[in-house]
Amino acid sequence: MFSTEIFGQRLRAVRKAHDEKQEDLGLLLGVGKSQVSELECGTASTTLEKLSFICEHYNISADYLLGLTDEPKPYKRKKPNKNLP
């Protein structure tokens, strides 16, 4: 089940691991430092579009941020099977 608290804790940890400030992430997302702080404190949530930006920027899976898995790295995509419709 989704928890804004887990999302916030993991977002903060990933941001700090990349040695970025809240302002840096805010610039990427087009929001202010206070909105990033609210995300990290678990008092606010974000849009799917911004979640996608976060995942791409930090190369982590949305499942990890959402607390659905403890594996931060995204799964490697398999090449599509040309025989399937």
Side-chain angles (χ1 to χ4, degrees):
M1 178 169 22
F2 174 69
S3 163
T4 56
E5 185 177 318
I6 291 173
F7 177 84
Q9 290 170 351
R10 290 183 174 186
L11 178 60
R12 178 181 291 121
V14 169
R15 177 183 57 77
K16 287 185 174 187
H18 284 80
D19 200 30
E20 290 185 350
K21 297 178 183 179
Q22 288 179 334
E23 294 90 348
D24 300 327
L25 181 55
L27 284 173
L28 171 75
L29 301 177
V31 300
K33 175 186 172 185
S34 63
Q35 289 173 304
V36 174
S37 177
E38 290 174 358
L39 288 173
E40 292 181 352
C41 289
T43 58
S45 58
T46 190
T47 65
L48 291 174
E49 181 180 25
K50 289 178 181 162
L51 175 62
S52 176
F53 286 144
I54 293 168
C55 293
E56 288 180 33
H57 179 67
Y58 294 124
N59 190 33
I60 57 173
S61 74
D63 286 348
Y64 173 74
L65 280 178
L66 297 173
L68 302 174
T69 183
D70 291 330
E71 177 60 44
K73 290 294 179 184
Y75 297 108
K76 292 184 179 183
R77 292 184 181 170
K78 295 180 182 178
K79 292 183 181 181
N81 185 339
K82 295 180 181 180
N83 298 327
L84 294 176

